[in-house]
Amino acid sequence: MRVPVSWLSDYVPLEMPVDDLATKLSVSSAEVEGIEHRGVPDTDGNLGRFRVGRVVEAAKHPNADRLQLCRVDVGEGDAVQIVCGAWNFGEGATVGVALPGAVLPGGLELEARQVRGETSHGMILAEDEVDLGTDHTGIMVLEDRWEPGTPLGDVLPLVDDVLIVEATGNRPDLLSVYGIAREVAALYDLELAPPPGTDPEPASDEKLDVTVEDLEGAPRYIGRLFSDVQVGPSPIWLKARLLAAGMRPISNVVDATNYAMHALGNPLHAFDFAKLSGGRIVVRRAHPGEKLRTLDGVERDLTPEDLVIADGERAIALAGIMGGEDTEIGESTTDVLLEAANFEPYTIFRSSERLRLRTEGSNRWEKGVDPYLAEQAAALATQLIVEYAGARWVGHVDVHGDLPERPVVEYRPERADEVIGIETPPKDQYALLGRLGFDTDKKRVTVPTWRARDVTREIDLVEEIARFRLEDVPFTLPVRRAMFGTLSREQQLRRRVEDVLAGLGFSETYTPSLRPDGETPWKLPEPITVELTAMRTRLLPSLVEAARRNAEVGVQEIALFEIARVYLPGGELPEERLWVAGVAEGDFARAKGVVETIYAALKAKPEFERAQDSFFHPGKAARTPAGTLGELHPTLLEGTWGGFELDLEELFRAARDPVTYEDVITYPSLRQDLAFAVPEGVAAGDLVAAAREAAGPDLREMTVFDVYRGGQVGEGRKSIAFAVSFQSPERTLSDEDASELRKKIVDALEQRFGAELRAGTATAS
């Protein structure tokens, strides 16, 4: 919600700096995300160079057919000469003038200059040149009542601040300038002006044919008919306010509805009455297969869940969302039907989401608009249409069911003191509530209609008091009255993994769980953006992108890790798994070292085997039961990088936690060196695993210390040498025991892998 401060000041006197106002609103009511400064720079007396002028002479430039040479009275004695390219004015017109030295909103500083041989001492202003509109087809023509030399800032809002307010979902009353003014008046105890809008005298009382078939979806429908409407541009001040509020000015009739919506918070719509079949309005659900071309030119397929405004033959608007193209207000419109209604929030939200069509109106309706507000909004729009479109108000109808009663809540002031933690006298509490529009009677509080949805309980009223007293609440830590519960095993192990990675120099990062849909099968039906369309199945792609962005800005020694969920194929719904992944500058050895350190911290022993993975360099990737690791493929990042991805559930399954004590073996060990010739494709890890299975627990260690390839072992084969240690916790092993164990290993490896024992030596220790 964009709130121009000049508009806000119409309803409440602003006696405080804008920055202070923004801070107080953010603390107590709704977050103010920023303050936008609009219009002419208000520095170094710049505003004094913008004046009201009266054209005393206007003729064609002697050296240019498309230019006018004017003399303009700006209240400084002799008229000044100005060259102008617009022709929508003439002698006697009252205009806005910027004199030499004036700085325009874009930063351009004017100076007297030659234009086709004639000196121009300033500029006659169009509305876009002072940020008051978008029109540049002609200059602004002002009312004749302004005297030449009057500061233009006294006539038009040349300077304005705009509050960017983000109201919470339960406060639709703050989606209006008057709603914000009501908050400001309450916060500062200032006088609030009455709501804007006064009904003019009706010209006649024609009957309007309005039927509401669904009073649940449309609890109220006010229709007003206007004749002799002259569609044209709105006055400059109104266009300037709409533009500052984020709305594009269109015409005096449409602008009147948008102005009333921003002022009061109740969206309205205007129909070209002559285009309604039978002059009827029917509020109903859409028929099966019904279509509607909305104002944005899109033909939309409707369902019976959609609430529509129809005439005697077809749907002419999506209720609360957008009007139809067929009944749009145009330059030829002379009869207008104004709609000021109230619609049920969920109906509007459901249609808006299904059609992916969000508007200023739907944003308000889906949060719940006060049904009693429609009449005031109709009055304001009526006043503007009659005054600025020359219309006659000739018909009125108000169709509604039983409108909701104001909630009544039992209230105890002492309860507020107990919850807030500071004392507020009951008299002051009731006064605060009164400033917010609540009526109080002893211990009963009647809620205003604009807060009926979010204030229904005593604690809601306590919150209203609390937000006025937040600045007085002391900063204290909560008192610990009890302590129970401990971290689960998984939580403890996860923290251990995080601590290990941080200790190795990695920085934790958080990346989106969504990826482009080409990388994952889990595509979202309604993606947030075209870049984030599906749930990810891996972590490495996101970390690679993060590392690339850091490298591009010159960060050195990059090492990133993330612990997050991935979404794997597992049936109708994805299987969620918690993974840890990391990327760091370095080669395969660094990635392997990090993974080994993680396993060691979990008191687990990793088993590595060769792996193939598109993310890793061919021949420089490995796999453990928990995941993959290796040197990243050179096409992913410039330079040499290592990475890993591990499933934490598998990691924790391998963790020996708590660690169990094993007695130190005091019996000596027998050491042997065994060399086996095996086919090239046999992995050393597979040989070790088979040997342990064959020899049992008396095989204490078996590690590789040499690999040989050459003519002595034959083509397509290799020789792997192992350092082997035999040891028993129960007795001293003899040479015969060692020979038997060695034979079991040799036989097992020969049977499973075709291994041939090339050499064997033994030592005792």
Side-chain angles (χ1 to χ4, degrees):
M1 175 70 187
R2 296 171 58 87
V3 183
V5 172
S6 63
W7 195 346
L8 186 66
S9 63
D10 280 359
Y11 309 138
V12 61
L14 299 181
E15 303 169 348
M16 71 299 293
V18 175
D19 289 344
D20 292 351
L21 172 61
T23 300
K24 201 168 187 68
L25 281 172
S26 294
V27 170
S28 63
S29 304
E31 182 179 359
V32 178
E33 296 182 340
I35 303 173
E36 180 183 299
H37 303 287
R38 292 179 56 86
V40 172
D42 186 14
T43 55
D44 300 327
N46 190 47
L47 281 178
R49 302 182 183 98
F50 291 82
R51 309 278 184 83
V52 172
R54 183 160 291 126
V55 180
V56 295
E57 291 181 17
K60 185 179 76 66
H61 192 293
N63 303 317
D65 292 340
R66 296 186 178 182
L67 299 178
Q68 282 201 93
L69 186 61
C70 307
R71 296 187 61 79
V72 184
D73 180 3
V74 293
E76 292 185 347
D78 293 339
V80 297
Q81 178 173 279
I82 299 177
V83 177
C84 182
W87 290 83
N88 66 315
F89 70 99
E91 184 178 315
T94 302
V95 296
V97 176
L99 299 175
V103 179
L104 300 180
L108 174 66
E109 182 175 350
L110 300 182
E111 57 184 21
R113 65 188 183 95
Q114 291 287 314
V115 180
R116 294 293 183 91
E118 297 289 344
T119 303
S120 182
H121 297 275
M123 175 187 288
I124 301 176
L125 298 166
E127 61 184 44
D128 66 325
E129 291 165 336
V130 283
D131 218 7
L132 293 177
T134 58
D135 185 19
H136 193 70
T137 59
I139 59 93
M140 298 181 292
V141 179
L142 308 178
E143 297 178 25
D144 292 340
R145 61 190 179 93
W146 300 108
E147 292 296 323
T150 302
L152 193 59
D154 293 349
V155 178
L156 299 172
L158 295 184
V159 180
D160 206 354
D161 291 324
V162 179
L163 303 177
I164 314 300
V165 180
E166 183 63 36
T168 55
N170 66 331
R171 293 296 305 273
D173 59 301
L174 296 183
L175 293 175
S176 68
V177 179
Y178 191 78
I180 297 294
R182 185 163 44 221
E183 286 289 304
V184 173
L187 290 170
Y188 288 94
D189 195 13
L190 300 172
E191 183 177 355
L192 178 68
T198 303
D199 275 332
E201 197 68 32
S204 62
D205 187 18
E206 297 182 19
K207 298 298 181 183
L208 290 177
D209 187 356
V210 174
T211 302
V212 178
E213 295 181 357
D214 186 355
L215 282 172
E216 182 178 347
R220 189 173 195 181
Y221 193 96
I222 295 175
R224 291 190 169 186
L225 181 62
F226 301 88
S227 63
D228 300 333
V229 178
Q230 301 171 36
V231 176
S234 296
I236 296 170
W237 67 267
L238 195 151
K239 290 196 287 186
R241 285 191 171 180
L242 286 180
L243 198 66
M247 296 288 289
R248 179 175 61 90
I250 298 173
S251 69
N252 47 13
V253 174
V254 177
D255 293 350
T257 63
N258 289 332
Y259 185 90
M261 176 184 68
H262 275 279
L264 294 167
N266 194 112
L268 303 98
H269 188 69
F271 300 94
D272 187 328
F273 187 71
K275 298 176 182 178
L276 301 185
S277 176
R280 293 188 62 203
I281 286 290
V282 181
V283 185
R284 58 169 173 81
R285 298 287 172 166
H287 297 148
E290 193 167 14
K291 297 179 181 294
L292 171 67
R293 183 176 294 277
T294 46
L295 285 171
D296 56 2
V298 177
E299 185 172 75
R300 304 188 184 273
D301 296 321
L302 307 180
T303 73
E305 292 183 342
D306 299 321
L307 187 69
V308 299
I309 312 300
D311 60 13
E313 296 180 353
R314 84 288 196 201
I316 59 173
L318 264 170
I321 302 176
M322 185 176 286
E325 196 174 64
D326 290 346
T327 55
E328 181 180 7
I329 300 295
E331 293 181 358
S332 61
T333 299
T334 57
D335 297 309
V336 170
L337 177 68
L338 174 68
E339 168 190 286
N342 185 264
F343 299 114
E344 187 270 326
Y346 183 64
T347 299
I348 305 303
F349 172 76
R350 183 173 52 193
S351 294
S352 178
E353 286 291 296
R354 183 181 64 79
L355 296 168
R356 298 185 183 181
L357 180 60
R358 301 191 62 80
T359 62
E360 290 277 359
S362 67
N363 179 49
R364 288 166 171 80
W365 290 125
E366 67 190 29
K367 293 175 175 61
V369 177
D370 176 9
Y372 291 88
L373 188 58
E375 189 171 4
Q376 188 65 44
L380 178 56
T382 297
Q383 180 181 343
L384 294 173
I385 292 172
V386 169
E387 183 172 354
Y388 295 109
R392 296 189 310 119
W393 175 24
V394 297
H396 171 84
V397 67
D398 185 354
V399 180
H400 59 82
D402 294 330
L403 299 181
E405 297 288 336
R406 294 172 60 183
V408 178
V409 180
E410 299 288 337
Y411 182 64
R412 297 164 294 170
E414 61 273 14
R415 176 60 177 160
D417 293 343
E418 179 183 350
V419 172
I420 300 170
I422 57 175
E423 184 177 342
T424 305
K427 181 180 178 181
D428 293 346
Q429 292 191 36
Y430 288 127
L432 291 175
L433 293 172
R435 280 153 42 189
L436 288 168
F438 295 84
D439 294 329
T440 58
D441 179 17
K442 295 183 179 179
K443 293 192 175 183
R444 292 166 60 87
V445 175
T446 304
V447 180
T449 57
W450 59 85
R451 298 296 303 279
R453 289 183 180 273
D454 73 298
V455 179
T456 58
R457 306 165 300 166
E458 182 182 49
I459 196 64
D460 298 328
L461 292 170
V462 171
E463 182 182 342
E464 295 301 300
I465 303 300
R467 63 192 185 92
F468 276 78
R469 299 298 312 276
L470 285 178
E471 295 177 350
D472 303 321
V473 177
F475 290 93
T476 58
L477 291 173
V479 177
R480 175 181 288 177
R481 296 183 173 87
M483 183 176 179
F484 49 86
T486 60
L487 294 177
S488 67
R489 176 178 182 270
E490 289 73 18
Q491 290 171 325
Q492 294 176 26
L493 294 177
R494 173 174 174 169
R495 290 192 178 186
R496 193 178 302 172
V497 171
E498 292 171 341
D499 291 343
V500 166
L501 289 169
L504 291 172
F506 281 73
S507 298
E508 186 171 11
T509 185
Y510 299 90
T511 60
S513 295
L514 300 177
R515 300 286 301 164
D517 61 312
E519 302 179 14
T520 166
W522 302 113
K523 187 172 182 180
L524 302 180
E526 296 186 8
I528 301 172
T529 69
V530 294
E531 294 85 10
L532 303 174
T533 58
M535 296 183 291
R536 63 184 172 190
T537 57
R538 302 192 65 169
L539 294 183
L540 268 179
S542 301
L543 285 176
V544 168
E545 290 180 3
R548 182 183 298 113
R549 287 193 295 270
N550 279 272
E552 287 173 350
V553 296
V555 179
Q556 301 295 319
E557 299 181 359
I558 298 170
L560 304 173
F561 83 93
E562 180 175 15
I563 294 179
R565 297 194 181 278
V566 295
Y567 305 89
L568 306 177
E572 184 178 351
L573 295 176
E575 179 186 359
E576 295 188 34
R577 306 282 288 192
L578 191 64
W579 282 14
V580 59
V583 169
E585 293 178 283
D587 56 9
F588 175 84
R590 179 167 189 187
K592 185 172 183 287
V594 171
V595 172
E596 288 175 329
T597 305
I598 293 174
Y599 270 89
L602 299 176
K603 305 299 187 291
K605 190 170 183 179
E607 296 179 358
F608 296 100
E609 62 181 28
R610 189 173 298 169
Q612 293 292 329
D613 190 299
S614 61
F615 265 86
F616 296 108
H617 196 296
K620 297 182 181 181
R623 185 184 310 279
T624 75
T628 55
L629 64 138
E631 186 175 309
L632 292 185
H633 197 284
T635 60
L636 295 178
L637 287 171
E638 185 176 346
T640 304
W641 296 76
F644 62 89
E645 281 182 324
L646 303 173
D647 187 327
L648 286 181
E649 185 175 325
E650 293 293 334
L651 266 181
F652 297 162
R653 185 177 292 119
R656 291 191 298 164
D657 189 77
V659 177
T660 56
Y661 169 74
E662 291 185 8
D663 195 6
V664 176
I665 299 177
T666 58
Y667 297 101
S669 63
L670 290 174
R671 300 184 182 276
Q672 295 188 2
D673 293 340
L674 303 177
F676 294 92
V678 295
E680 181 66 46
V682 176
D686 294 338
L687 296 174
V688 172
R692 289 189 180 281
E693 182 180 344
D698 288 345
L699 175 58
R700 301 298 295 180
E701 293 182 9
M702 186 172 180
T703 57
V704 178
F705 70 85
D706 185 49
V707 178
Y708 168 75
R709 296 175 177 86
Q712 296 184 25
V713 294
E715 186 177 353
R717 294 175 69 82
K718 62 184 176 182
S719 175
I720 305 179
F722 296 94
V724 180
S725 174
F726 300 117
Q727 190 177 29
S728 171
E730 299 174 351
R731 62 188 176 88
T732 301
L733 297 177
S734 65
D735 290 341
E736 291 77 11
D737 293 328
S739 296
E740 184 178 349
L741 291 170
R742 181 176 67 181
K743 185 177 185 305
K744 290 181 179 180
I745 293 173
V746 172
D747 291 345
L749 299 189
E750 182 181 4
Q751 292 176 11
R752 293 184 58 177
F753 304 105
E756 177 187 352
L757 180 64
R758 297 187 63 239
T761 61
T763 60
S765 61

